[in-house]
């Protein structure tokens, strides 16, 4: 065997970029879909349980706060154990949260299921991790397009489930509709296999240095663009998703 053929046989297989993009976009679509349709369950669920709308709204507010608080930890776990494992865990927690929400008989369990569980599930399966996985396999010149497609897929999930939830609620009832969406989330499990890998597999440049968590946070908050971007997302989420 020649040296060139031996080297090629030992080199790692090149990632299937189109497959990764498609699977990542479908995961982003599925993860953003159910959460965007939960408002349609307010009337049937509060009427059936005898709850006020404030109880339901507080659960969704807890969900948004949990999502934001858990997102950095989901990213760190993905760096340590691989994106696919974190995605799979997030999908399962998300699905269980939707099913638990269907059977929540007290406000506390509503806050745990619709708030904490679904919030953690979104953090571990949303487009933030999807675009991180895209960044590992596409070239620098393709990243803007790949990131845009991944983010837009999450918004498409809101559009799709906005049309899907009403007929499910009308035809199956709100409890079975939640269980059905929980089952639909599990369809993302096989898709996670395409996004295997860790950030450490990305070749580092000679001028880059290893950072610990404290150094990374200090660099982020010392970057004006990061602060402005984060503040913009905070304002958006606070007045669109938290206050109502």
């Amino acid at each position: 065997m020649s040296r060139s053929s031996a080297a090629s046989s030992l080199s790692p297989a090149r990632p299937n970029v189109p497959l990764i993009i498609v699977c990542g976009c479908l995961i982003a679509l599925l993860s953003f879909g159910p959460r965007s349709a939960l408002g349609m369950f307010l009337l049937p669920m509060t009427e059936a349980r005898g709850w006020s709308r404030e109880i339901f709204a507080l659960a969704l507010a807890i969900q948004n706060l949990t999502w934001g608080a858990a997102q950095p930890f989901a990213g760190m776990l993905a760096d340590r154990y691989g994106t696919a494992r974190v995605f799979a865990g997030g999908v399962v927690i998300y699905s269980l949260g939707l099913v638990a929400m269907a059977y929540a008989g007290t406000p506390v369990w509503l806050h745990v299921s619709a708030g904490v569980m679904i919030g953690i599930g979104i953090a571990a399966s949303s487009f933030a991790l999807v675009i991180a996985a895209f960044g590992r396999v596409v070239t620098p010149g393709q990243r803007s397009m790949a990131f845009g497609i991944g983010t837009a897929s999450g918004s498409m999930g809101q559009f799709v489930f906005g049309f899907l939830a009403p007929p499910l609620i009308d035809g199956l009832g709100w409890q079975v509709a939640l269980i059905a969406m929980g089952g639909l989330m599990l369809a993302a499990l096989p898709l996670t296999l395409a996004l295997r890998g860790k950030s450490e597999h990305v070749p580092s440049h000679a001028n880059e240095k290893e950072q610990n968590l404290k150094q990374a946070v200090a660099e982020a908050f010392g970057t004006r663009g990061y602060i402005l971007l984060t503040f913009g997302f905070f304002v958006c989420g606070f007045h669109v998703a938290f206050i109502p």
Side-chain angles (χ1 to χ4, degrees):
M1 181 182 294
S2 64
R3 291 184 179 179
S4 58
S5 59
S8 61
S9 63
L10 294 175
S11 60
R14 297 184 63 183
N16 189 331
V17 176
L19 177 64
I20 292 172
I21 296 294
V22 170
C23 290
C25 288
L26 289 174
I27 292 173
L29 186 151
L30 287 171
S31 67
F32 253 50
R35 69 166 294 274
S36 64
L38 291 182
M40 300 179 186
F41 291 85
L42 186 152
L43 284 178
M45 190 170 189
T46 53
E47 289 178 357
R49 300 299 193 208
W51 296 335
S52 66
R53 65 180 181 180
E54 287 78 13
I55 291 175
F56 190 93
L58 179 59
L60 299 192
I62 293 172
Q63 178 192 119
N64 279 274
L65 291 174
T66 304
W67 174 19
Q71 187 74 75
F73 297 98
M76 287 188 286
L77 289 173
D79 288 342
R80 184 176 180 86
Y81 299 107
T83 308
R85 292 182 180 182
V86 175
F87 270 133
V91 166
V92 171
I93 295 172
Y94 200 150
S95 178
L96 290 175
L98 289 167
V99 174
M101 181 180 174
Y103 292 102
T106 64
V108 171
W109 278 109
L110 177 67
H111 297 155
V112 170
S113 58
V116 177
M117 293 179 68
I118 294 180
I120 293 174
I122 297 169
S125 63
S126 64
F127 69 89
L129 293 185
V130 168
I131 60 176
F134 288 176
R136 293 197 303 265
V137 298
V138 301
T139 64
Q142 297 171 331
R143 284 177 183 169
S144 294
M145 178 64 72
F147 292 174
I149 293 173
T151 305
S153 297
S155 299
M156 180 59 68
Q158 299 178 12
F159 176 81
V160 171
F161 276 79
F163 283 97
L164 181 62
L168 284 177
I169 295 172
D170 294 339
L172 303 176
W174 65 269
Q175 281 185 300
V176 180
L178 283 171
I179 295 171
M181 289 200 301
L184 188 58
M185 274 301 304
L186 294 179
L189 278 177
L191 301 175
T192 63
L193 296 175
L195 280 73
R196 294 188 299 268
K198 303 178 184 179
S199 295
E200 65 187 22
H201 290 168
V202 180
S204 60
H205 300 289
N207 60 347
E208 290 182 348
K209 297 181 180 179
E210 293 292 333
Q211 287 183 319
N212 57 34
L213 177 60
K214 181 178 180 180
Q215 292 170 333
V217 171
E219 180 183 359
F221 283 96
T223 304
R224 183 172 180 269
Y226 173 83
I227 295 175
L228 292 175
L229 181 65
T230 303
F231 183 74
F233 275 109
F234 170 81
V235 172
C236 172
F238 187 79
H239 85 273
V240 171
F242 187 80
I243 292 180

